[in-house]
Amino acid sequence: MSTAVAQQTGDENPLVEGLERLPVHPTALVIFGATGDLAHRKLLPALYNLAHEGALPERFELIGVSRRDRPDADFRSDARASIEKFSRRKPDPNVLEGLLANARYVPGSFDDDAVYAELERTLAEFDQQAGHPLDRVFYLSTAPEFFPVIAGKLGAAGLNDTEKAQVRIVIEKPFGYDLASARQLNVEVLDEFDETQVFRIDHYLGKETVQNLFALRFANALFEPVWNRNFIDSVQITAAEDIGIGSRAGYYEGAGALRDLVQNHMMQLLALLAMEPPASFEANRLRDEKLKVLEAIVPPTVDQVASMAVRAQYGPGVVAGTQVPGYRDEPGVAPDSRTETYAALRLHVSNWRWAGVPFYLRTGKRLARKVTEIAVTLKPVPHLAFQSTGSVGVQANQIVLTVQPDEGVSVSLGAKIPGSRLRIRPVNMEFRYGTSFMSESPEAYERLILDAMRGDATLFTRNDEIEALWGIIDPILTAWHEDTSSPVPQYASGSAGPEEANLLLAEGQRWRRL
Amino acid sequence: MTQDVWSEQGTTPDAIEAALREMLRERHAANEALAPARVLNLVVIVDRSWKGEIANRLERVGRYHASRTILCAVEEGRKTLDAVAVMNYDEPSPGVVGVMHEQVEIDLGVDALAGLDTIVDPIVVSDLPTMIWCPHGHDEALEALRHMVDVILLDSDDVADPADALARAADLLSSAYVVDLAWLRTTPWRERLAASFDLPEQLEMLFELDSLAIRHQPNSGASAVLLAGWLASRLGWKVAPLRSDNSSPPHGTAQGPKGPVEIELDPLEQEAPGLAGVTAACGSRYSLSLDRGRGGLRARERINGDEREWQVLGASRGEGGILGEGVRQALLRDPTYGPALGAARELSS
C-alpha cells in the first residue's frame, strides 16, 4: 500500500503538517540589558515557559550582555531566581537546569568593541559545538539611547550577517521619542540590518485578545458587513490603569501617557480595528493594510491640537479606599511637571470605510479601574415602533472587546423586559476566554520571542508603520511642548479622568464608564 | 474550590438536567461574576468499582476540565439511576469572571447501556461538542452513544495487541473524530523529529532515511507503531507487515522513494508509558537518536563520523497531562492521524 501524502522534493518539510508547534531553527539568543527589569520579569520567564513546553529550538543557547561585571555563574543564578519568581508556572528543576546550564554572560559597556569581540567568540564557540552556524537573535532590552549604539557596533563587528544562518534584531519600545528621532533610529538600524531582519516589538500585539480581533473581524460574516461608516457611530479605545507611576518617575517624566501607550499600543489597536482585510496573514500583507489606515489619519496641525486632544495629570485622591498622592507629589517628579498622565484624542480615518466616524482614544494612570477595551458603538435604529416610557429604552448596540483584565467580547442588544408591556432594555451577550477555552493564554512575550526566532514579523512593527505612528502623534507632542503657560488639567486619583475629555466627544456621545 | 451539590436516588435524566439548570441559576443569581464553562461535554463510561480511579485521573488533567463531565458508573444488577451533580467553582476576585464546571455521576445498571443515549442526551449541554471515553470497554455503551458524539477518546496502548487496538480506532474513526492517547504520547517525538530535520542539510537526509528504530515501553506498542506509521505516511513509504518471533522484536522493511527502509520496534523497560527513544539513520552518513532524559530528550547526532550530543528541553507531561491534552484535542483536528493510523495498521497486521 502506498501511503504517500507528502511532497518529496523541494524545501518543504513533510513532517510539519498537523503539528501545533512549528520547528524553530537552532538559535543563539543574545539579550542586551540582561540584568534589567524587563529581562528578569518577562524575557527569562518567557524563555523558561517556552523550554517547558518544548517550544524552544532543538539547540538553544542564551547569552546575556550587560554592564555589570560578573561571572557566568552569577548570571545563571540570578536568572534562575527570576524565573522561579516570575514564571507563570512552577519551574521543573531539570528543564530550568538545562536552559541555563550553558548560558553565558558578556560584561561591558554597550559601546565597547571588546564586548562584541567576546560576543563573536562566544557565538563561534556555540557554532562549533553545534557543528553549524546557529541563527542569531539580538534582543535589545536596554535604554533606548543604546539601540543605535548596539546596532552600529553589531554591524561594525560583522555580527549583523552570517553565512548559512539568519541574524535578527529585536528592538524594544520606545522606538524613538518623536518622528525625527524615530526616523533617525530607523536610518541607523537600517544602515546595519535589512528591514527583514528587524523586529520592533510591541507586546500588545502578542496578546491573544488583540490577535482575536483578526478572528472576530475576518472569520465571522456577522460583523464585517456593519464594519463601516454606514453602521458604526463611533469607536472608543480605552487603556486605563488604576496604578500610579510607582518608581518609574525617571522614565515617565520624559515620556508621558501619549508616548507610553497611545503612540504604540493604542494606535496599533486602532489600525487593526480599522484596516481592510488583508489577502493573507503574511507579515507584509498585514502591515501594508495597517499602514494604509495610519496614513489615512490626517495628523492635526499644531493649532488644531487643542480641539482634538486633552492632557491631564492625576491629583491626590482615594484609590481602593486608600489616600494616594497626586502626580506632582510622587518621588522623582518635578513639582511643576507638565508631563501628562492622561491623554485623550479624537481621530478620524479619512477613507471610504471610515469617513465621519470619530475614533476616541483615552489612557490614564490612577483611574477608577484597570481596563483595556475597544468599544464599537453602532448607529441607532432609524425608527422605533415601541414606546420607551417605563424602561431604559432602546440603546445603540455596542460591540466591546476587552483586552484586559477579563479577555473577551460582549455585544449589547435590546431585549424585551418580561411582562405584559413591550418595554426594552439593553442586555449583553458575552464571550469570555475563561469560559469558552480550556487553554491558558501564553504570555505575549512567549509568542513574540518565538515568532522572532522563526522570522515571522506579522506581529511586529515595520519601519514605515513606526514613522506613520509618530507622524500622527508628533504635532500633539509639539503643541503640548510649546504650551508652557496654560494649566495642565488635574483629575482626582480614582476618578474616570478629567472633565475636559468630555469636550472631545460629539453631541450625544459620552465616554464609557470605566 | 467551592462546590454546590445535588443528589437523588432513583432519579431520571430530566430531574438531573433540571437540577443542573437550577444550580446554575441559583449560583449566577448569587454572584453574577460566576459563569458556566461552555467548551465541551465529556461522557465517561466506567465500571462502578473503578469509578474513583478514573475520577482521580480526571482531576489531574489540570486546566483541561470539560465544561460538563458526565460519569456513568456501570454496576451489574442495578435497576435504578442514582445521581450526584456537583458544581465546582472558585469565588472570583472582584472584576474577574469565575468559571463553573459541572460534574454529574450517574450509577446505572448494565441493562441501561443499550439505551444509554436516552439517559445522556438530555443531560449534555446542547450545541457543545460531546466527547466520549470508555476506559473499561463497555462497547455497548459506546455503540448506543455513537450517533450523538463528535469525538471519541481512546487509548490504543490499553489494548494488549496493537493490531486489534488500531483496527478498533480505524473503525471508530469512520463515524467520529478520534483522539488517541497513544498518538498523543508520540507528539513530542513527532515535533522533535520535524524540527531536527528542518534545516536544509538534514531535510535532504530525511528523504534518504534507510533505517528507523523506535524504542518503547512494552505496553506502548501502539504508540511505537503509530510513530512508524506517521513517518511512513509523511514520507511516502510503502509499508508491509512487520515480522516478529520470540527471539527478535517486530521488524521489517518499507520501501521508500529512494530505497528500502529497515524498521524495528524495540520494547524497553521504563517506568513511564510511551516511547523511550527513536533512531533514524541513512547509512553511515547520518543518524539521529532522541532518547528520553531528564528535563527533555537527549539528542545524539552523527554526521559523517562526527558525533554530537545535546539536550532538547521540554518537561514531561505525565499521564495526567496526556489525558488533559486528550480533552483539549477534542476541539482540534489533526489531519495526520488518519494516514498514520492507516500505515500503522499495515505495519501491525
Side-chain angles (χ1 to χ4, degrees):
Chain A
M1 168 187 143
S2 171
T3 54
V5 295
Q7 186 179 338
Q8 289 297 300
T9 56
D11 300 330
E12 293 282 321
N13 178 352
L15 303 186
V16 168
E17 186 172 338
L19 297 179
E20 276 192 83
R21 256 185 265 293
L22 298 173
V24 188
H25 288 179
T27 300
L29 176 69
V30 182
I31 301 178
F32 286 87
T35 57
D37 206 42
L38 179 69
H40 282 265
R41 284 176 178 272
K42 295 289 183 186
L43 305 184
L44 291 166
L47 288 173
Y48 171 75
N49 281 299
L50 291 171
H52 186 103
E53 290 168 3
L56 281 182
E58 299 303 288
R59 274 179 174 276
F60 176 78
E61 305 291 357
L62 175 64
I63 304 173
V65 183
S66 213
R67 276 171 291 187
R68 286 165 58 187
D69 194 8
R70 64 221 309 246
D72 290 339
D74 285 9
F75 172 59
R76 289 175 197 152
S77 62
D78 282 1
R80 181 176 294 108
S82 296
I83 290 167
E84 283 167 349
K85 186 172 179 185
F86 296 114
S87 168
R88 67 183 166 91
R89 58 158 66 91
K90 189 175 185 303
D92 175 318
N94 293 321
V95 177
L96 186 52
E97 174 59 30
L99 176 67
L100 298 175
N102 205 26
R104 305 296 174 83
Y105 182 75
V106 177
S109 173
F110 299 135
D111 60 358
D112 183 353
D113 291 341
V115 166
Y116 299 88
E118 178 61 14
L119 204 49
E120 187 175 15
R121 193 196 63 71
T122 308
L123 288 165
E125 186 189 328
F126 286 150
D127 290 350
Q128 178 71 25
Q129 286 172 7
H132 60 83
L134 303 178
D135 285 356
R136 284 100 158 96
V137 173
F138 298 108
Y139 197 117
L140 276 50
S141 168
T142 66
E145 61 263 33
F146 294 115
F147 296 164
V149 176
I150 295 168
K153 289 288 181 186
L154 287 169
L159 290 166
N160 55 346
D161 191 20
T162 191
E163 258 187 76
K164 291 191 170 181
Q166 301 295 322
V167 180
R168 301 180 179 107
I169 185 168
V170 179
I171 302 178
E172 265 293 339
K173 74 161 196 168
F175 197 93
Y177 56 90
D178 59 15
L179 177 59
S181 63
R183 278 183 178 152
Q184 179 61 27
L185 182 53
N186 267 333
V187 167
E188 289 169 316
V189 171
L190 296 174
D191 267 353
E192 308 297 344
F193 292 87
D194 185 80
E195 176 60 30
T196 57
Q197 296 177 283
V198 184
F199 292 72
R200 299 170 192 82
I201 209 162
D202 182 334
H203 74 269
Y204 253 49
L205 294 180
K207 288 180 180 288
E208 286 289 328
T209 325
V210 175
Q211 293 164 54
N212 195 38
L213 253 170
F214 303 140
L216 183 84
R217 287 195 57 199
F218 304 132
N220 296 290
L222 183 64
F223 297 114
E224 199 53 24
V226 299
W227 216 253
N228 57 57
R229 66 185 304 275
N230 297 323
F231 295 93
I232 290 180
D233 179 73
S234 64
V235 176
Q236 284 188 21
I237 303 177
T238 300
E241 294 180 280
D242 54 357
I243 56 170
I245 56 161
S247 58
R248 297 171 70 218
Y251 160 75
Y252 205 84
E253 272 284 87
L258 200 62
R259 287 189 178 97
D260 191 42
L261 275 169
V262 179
Q263 179 271 336
N264 36 59
H265 307 325
M266 298 182 74
M267 292 299 290
Q268 287 285 354
L269 293 181
L270 187 158
L272 295 173
L273 184 97
M275 72 182 189
E276 295 299 315
S280 74
F281 276 91
E282 187 271 325
N284 276 331
R285 297 283 184 103
L286 181 74
R287 298 191 293 184
D288 286 346
E289 296 304 336
K290 278 162 58 187
L291 181 65
K292 284 181 201 166
V293 172
L294 298 174
E295 288 179 340
I297 299 173
V298 181
T301 63
V302 171
D303 292 342
Q304 291 169 333
V305 167
S307 64
M308 56 73 67
V310 165
R311 64 172 161 171
Q313 288 175 331
Y314 62 81
V318 178
V319 174
T322 304
Q323 185 72 36
V324 294
Y327 178 67
R328 289 175 176 176
D329 298 323
E330 297 275 19
V333 174
D336 58 350
S337 170
R338 298 181 66 78
T339 300
E340 78 283 359
T341 63
Y342 178 99
L345 313 182
R346 183 184 63 239
L347 298 172
H348 287 273
V349 180
S350 301
N351 61 19
W352 273 52
R353 185 189 280 262
W354 294 112
V357 178
F359 285 75
Y360 301 111
L361 280 63
R362 65 174 162 165
T363 181
K365 289 197 171 291
R366 279 268 159 79
L367 293 173
R369 194 160 76 91
K370 176 186 171 72
V371 63
T372 302
E373 65 172 27
I374 301 168
V376 177
T377 304
L378 273 68
K379 290 184 172 170
V381 290
H383 169 70
L384 199 58
F386 317 116
Q387 289 190 348
S388 61
T389 47
S391 71
V392 179
V394 174
Q395 296 186 358
N397 300 119
Q398 277 196 329
I399 303 162
V400 180
L401 290 99
T402 309
V403 177
Q404 59 183 9
D406 214 1
E407 299 172 282
V409 181
S410 73
V411 178
S412 74
L413 308 166
K416 179 183 173 296
I417 300 170
S420 57
R421 295 178 59 193
L422 192 54
R423 296 178 300 175
I424 310 291
R425 80 165 174 87
V427 294
N428 278 356
M429 206 161 65
E430 305 254 3
F431 148 62
R432 288 280 171 268
Y433 270 79
T435 57
S436 301
F437 290 99
M438 291 179 277
S439 310
E440 190 182 10
S441 295
E443 280 280 315
Y445 275 101
E446 294 170 29
R447 166 72 194 261
L448 295 172
I449 290 171
L450 206 55
D451 280 0
M453 288 195 286
R454 288 180 50 234
D456 181 350
T458 306
L459 300 178
F460 294 83
T461 314
R462 206 168 55 190
N463 58 343
D464 46 7
E465 259 184 279
I466 283 281
E467 293 181 15
L469 287 164
W470 277 118
I472 298 161
I473 297 300
D474 219 37
I476 306 170
L477 288 170
T478 304
W480 287 355
H481 178 71
E482 288 176 354
D483 176 9
T484 55
S485 57
S486 55
V488 178
Q490 304 285 307
Y491 59 96
S493 287
S495 71
E499 289 292 322
E500 287 82 349
N502 295 329
L503 301 175
L504 299 179
L505 303 176
E507 193 180 336
Q509 291 174 338
R510 60 184 177 183
W511 290 105
R512 273 174 56 79
R513 204 174 73 184
L514 289 179
Chain B
M1 179 71 75
T2 311
Q3 294 187 327
D4 296 345
V5 181
W6 168 92
S7 66
E8 189 167 84
Q9 294 188 330
T11 190
T12 64
D14 283 350
I16 298 169
E17 196 275 335
L20 284 165
R21 206 161 4 96
E22 182 59 16
M23 288 164 85
L24 280 171
R25 193 197 62 75
E26 281 180 4
R27 187 48 47 203
H28 187 64
N31 185 346
E32 283 191 353
L34 280 169
R38 284 297 173 255
V39 186
L40 179 74
N41 298 301
L42 175 62
V43 181
V44 187
I45 317 295
V46 298
D47 290 338
R48 188 169 185 276
S49 49
W50 293 98
K51 180 170 78 170
E53 189 254 339
I54 295 298
N56 286 340
R57 283 184 71 182
L58 286 170
E59 267 186 22
R60 289 197 297 269
V61 300
R63 59 181 175 268
Y64 299 123
H65 286 289
S67 319
R68 182 172 285 183
T69 303
I70 301 165
L71 187 78
C72 299
V74 183
E75 187 178 23
E76 195 75 47
R78 172 177 282 277
K79 298 293 179 194
T80 59
L81 297 183
D82 294 350
V84 179
V86 180
M87 195 80 63
N88 295 301
Y89 55 92
D90 287 318
E91 289 289 350
S93 315
V96 175
V97 172
V99 182
M100 296 184 281
H101 293 89
E102 302 127 85
Q103 187 164 354
V104 183
E105 287 186 16
I106 306 172
D107 292 342
L108 46 78
V110 175
D111 293 349
L113 292 182
L116 190 60
D117 52 340
T118 62
I119 296 171
V120 170
D121 204 4
I123 304 172
V124 297
V125 182
S126 309
D127 299 331
L128 293 186
T130 298
M131 178 187 241
I132 184 169
W133 182 35
C134 302
H136 303 144
H138 298 297
D139 286 356
E140 193 180 4
L142 179 53
E143 288 307 318
L145 297 179
R146 205 162 160 171
H147 68 93
M148 58 167 282
V149 300
D150 306 281
V151 184
I152 298 169
L153 178 69
L154 54 82
D155 188 349
S156 291
D157 282 332
D158 275 349
V159 182
D161 183 349
D164 292 344
L166 300 180
R168 176 70 170 145
D171 172 47
L172 296 174
L173 191 59
S174 65
S175 65
Y177 182 65
V178 168
V179 174
D180 188 343
L181 299 182
W183 173 247
L184 298 186
R185 289 190 188 95
T186 71
T187 304
W189 304 86
R190 287 183 282 122
E191 287 177 348
R192 289 315 182 184
L193 284 167
S196 298
F197 286 102
D198 202 55
L199 285 170
E201 294 82 359
Q202 274 78 355
L203 191 55
E204 277 179 35
M205 307 286 188
L206 179 65
F207 299 118
E208 295 175 15
L209 291 180
D210 59 16
S211 72
L212 172 70
I214 298 170
R215 299 170 283 285
H216 61 92
Q217 197 216 43
N219 293 332
S220 298
S223 288
V225 76
L226 279 168
L227 183 68
W230 171 70
L231 276 166
S233 62
R234 300 311 309 154
L235 296 173
W237 299 347
K238 290 177 183 168
V239 294
L242 300 177
R243 302 178 301 280
S244 180
D245 53 45
N246 290 338
S247 61
S248 67
H251 62 282
T253 306
Q255 192 60 43
K258 299 198 174 174
V261 184
E262 299 298 326
I263 299 175
E264 188 170 300
L265 308 182
D266 297 321
L268 193 74
E269 288 301 333
Q270 67 171 15
E271 196 178 328
L275 304 182
V278 56
T279 301
C282 45
S284 58
R285 286 185 301 147
Y286 180 80
S287 82
L288 172 75
S289 288
L290 298 171
D291 287 279
R292 196 182 277 261
R294 289 172 52 174
L297 302 180
R298 199 175 65 254
R300 208 167 52 252
E301 187 182 52
R302 184 172 43 74
I303 303 178
N304 296 323
D306 286 344
E307 194 162 303
R308 291 187 170 77
E309 195 170 322
W310 70 95
Q311 182 188 3
V312 182
L313 298 169
S316 170
R317 295 170 296 172
E319 282 299 291
I322 299 219
L323 181 57
E325 181 63 15
V327 175
R328 190 179 79 93
Q329 288 285 329
L331 305 173
L332 303 172
R333 293 295 178 266
D334 184 344
T336 61
Y337 174 69
L341 177 64
R345 289 190 68 201
E346 291 282 320
L347 287 163
S348 60
S349 61

